[in-house]
Amino acid sequence: MDKMQFDMVQIVRSVPLFLSLTRQDWEDVAEMLVGRCYPKDAYIIQAGEPPDALYIVWEGQVKILRHSEEGRDIVLDVIGPGHMFGEMAVFDGMPYSASAQAMEDVAVVAISRPDFFRLLERHPGVSLAVISELSRRLRNASDLVHSLAVERVERRIARMLLKLAASSAQYSADGLVIDLPLTRQDIADMTGTTVETAIRVMSRFRKEGLITTERGRVVVLDPEGLRSVAEER
């Protein structure tokens, strides 16, 4: 196994779907992994395309989104290293239901659909993990629909910032720096609101000392205060 394959394996091994595989299993699985790189804003997959492969983020951040009939984007999730996407379409053979776009320069690991099914045939433990993962995704989708339908936008934005802080934040002297190039449009897309509303809410959070910006990144100054907003009814 060369260094590139070794590095890919280290990322893929952290994915819950593959935790049942042994070291000996990985000697076989490593041959199925293909590394790919994409520049910022590039689409890795697009909704409606055939499910050729599932992907695991190796480096960088990727947003999973749907395009509405009105031309708006709705961001379903933002994922980083060790997280996968496209597996549901690969599993059921239907076209990808959502697009995946690089938020910065990213590297991913791809496993082709035929190789994925060979993996399932040889390692039943992975099949059980797939069922668990699909159930988790379904629950998350249900929670998202509920959030967009009934929750106040301030709560949605606070929850989104806390989620990003938990997954991609770096500590600084001031607080938790969300290490992502978030635009106002990104914030609006992630929370199902307009750019104008996102600007208004973020401005309010700044005035209340909950957040600030540092070198173009959002900094969470008061996580507990932001959590109070996220949890208020």
Side-chain angles (χ1 to χ4, degrees), residues 7 15-16 24 48 57 60 68 118 121 147 159 175 216 226:
D7 290 342
V15 179
Q24 184 175 357
V57 182
S68 72
R118 277 193 287 273
E121 290 173 1
S147 174
R159 288 177 63 182
L226 202 60

Short mmCIF file of all heavy atoms in Angstrom, two decimals, residues 7 15-16 24 48 57 60 68 118 121 147 159 175 216 226:
data_model
loop_
_atom_site.label_atom_id
_atom_site.label_comp_id
_atom_site.label_asym_id
_atom_site.label_seq_id
_atom_site.Cartn_x
_atom_site.Cartn_y
_atom_site.Cartn_z
N ASP A 7 -2.95 7.14 3.43
CA ASP A 7 -3.61 8.34 3.94
C ASP A 7 -5.11 8.27 3.72
O ASP A 7 -5.90 8.66 4.60
CB ASP A 7 -3.05 9.59 3.26
CG ASP A 7 -1.62 9.90 3.68
OD1 ASP A 7 -1.19 9.37 4.73
OD2 ASP A 7 -0.94 10.66 2.98
N VAL A 15 -14.90 6.52 9.29
CA VAL A 15 -16.32 6.61 8.94
C VAL A 15 -17.06 5.44 9.61
O VAL A 15 -16.66 4.29 9.47
CB VAL A 15 -16.51 6.56 7.42
CG1 VAL A 15 -17.99 6.61 7.06
CG2 VAL A 15 -15.76 7.70 6.76
N PRO A 16 -18.16 5.73 10.35
CA PRO A 16 -18.88 4.66 11.05
C PRO A 16 -19.27 3.48 10.16
O PRO A 16 -19.31 2.34 10.62
CB PRO A 16 -20.13 5.38 11.59
CG PRO A 16 -19.68 6.79 11.78
CD PRO A 16 -18.72 7.06 10.65
N GLN A 24 -6.82 -6.65 8.10
CA GLN A 24 -6.67 -7.52 6.93
C GLN A 24 -7.68 -7.14 5.83
O GLN A 24 -7.35 -7.16 4.64
CB GLN A 24 -6.85 -8.98 7.33
CG GLN A 24 -6.61 -9.96 6.19
CD GLN A 24 -6.69 -11.41 6.65
OE1 GLN A 24 -6.87 -11.68 7.83
NE2 GLN A 24 -6.54 -12.33 5.71
N GLY A 48 -29.65 14.63 -9.74
CA GLY A 48 -30.14 14.13 -11.02
C GLY A 48 -29.13 13.30 -11.78
O GLY A 48 -29.50 12.59 -12.72
N VAL A 57 -15.20 12.83 2.43
CA VAL A 57 -14.35 14.02 2.45
C VAL A 57 -13.01 13.68 3.06
O VAL A 57 -12.93 13.10 4.15
CB VAL A 57 -15.02 15.16 3.25
CG1 VAL A 57 -14.14 16.42 3.21
CG2 VAL A 57 -16.40 15.47 2.68
N GLY A 60 -10.91 19.54 3.65
CA GLY A 60 -11.78 20.64 3.28
C GLY A 60 -13.22 20.43 3.73
O GLY A 60 -13.54 19.48 4.44
N SER A 68 -34.16 24.77 -5.46
CA SER A 68 -35.61 24.86 -5.50
C SER A 68 -36.08 25.29 -6.89
O SER A 68 -35.29 25.77 -7.71
CB SER A 68 -36.12 25.86 -4.46
OG SER A 68 -35.80 27.19 -4.86
N ARG A 118 -19.53 -4.85 -3.99
CA ARG A 118 -18.60 -5.94 -3.67
C ARG A 118 -18.24 -5.90 -2.19
O ARG A 118 -18.13 -6.93 -1.53
CB ARG A 118 -17.35 -5.85 -4.54
CG ARG A 118 -17.51 -6.49 -5.91
CD ARG A 118 -16.18 -6.65 -6.62
NE ARG A 118 -15.65 -5.38 -7.08
CZ ARG A 118 -15.96 -4.84 -8.25
NH1 ARG A 118 -16.79 -5.46 -9.08
NH2 ARG A 118 -15.44 -3.68 -8.61
N GLU A 121 -21.07 -7.34 -0.15
CA GLU A 121 -21.16 -8.80 -0.27
C GLU A 121 -20.10 -9.49 0.59
O GLU A 121 -20.37 -10.51 1.21
CB GLU A 121 -20.99 -9.21 -1.73
CG GLU A 121 -22.16 -8.83 -2.62
CD GLU A 121 -21.89 -9.11 -4.09
OE1 GLU A 121 -20.78 -9.61 -4.38
OE2 GLU A 121 -22.77 -8.83 -4.93
N SER A 147 -37.66 22.07 11.45
CA SER A 147 -36.98 23.33 11.77
C SER A 147 -37.38 24.43 10.80
O SER A 147 -37.70 25.56 11.21
CB SER A 147 -35.46 23.12 11.72
OG SER A 147 -34.77 24.35 11.89
N ARG A 159 -28.37 27.79 15.81
CA ARG A 159 -28.07 26.36 15.79
C ARG A 159 -27.05 26.04 14.70
O ARG A 159 -26.15 25.21 14.89
CB ARG A 159 -29.36 25.56 15.57
CG ARG A 159 -30.27 25.55 16.78
CD ARG A 159 -31.56 24.81 16.51
NE ARG A 159 -31.33 23.40 16.23
CZ ARG A 159 -32.31 22.56 15.91
NH1 ARG A 159 -33.56 22.98 15.83
NH2 ARG A 159 -32.04 21.29 15.69
N GLY A 175 -12.26 33.64 20.78
CA GLY A 175 -13.33 32.65 20.85
C GLY A 175 -13.12 31.53 19.86
O GLY A 175 -11.98 31.20 19.51
N GLY A 216 -12.34 37.62 7.97
CA GLY A 216 -13.37 37.06 7.10
C GLY A 216 -14.04 35.82 7.64
O GLY A 216 -14.90 35.25 6.97
N LEU A 226 -25.19 31.99 22.67
CA LEU A 226 -25.72 31.54 21.39
C LEU A 226 -26.57 30.30 21.58
O LEU A 226 -27.62 30.13 20.93
CB LEU A 226 -24.55 31.26 20.44
CG LEU A 226 -24.86 31.30 18.94
CD1 LEU A 226 -25.38 32.66 18.51
CD2 LEU A 226 -23.60 30.96 18.14
#
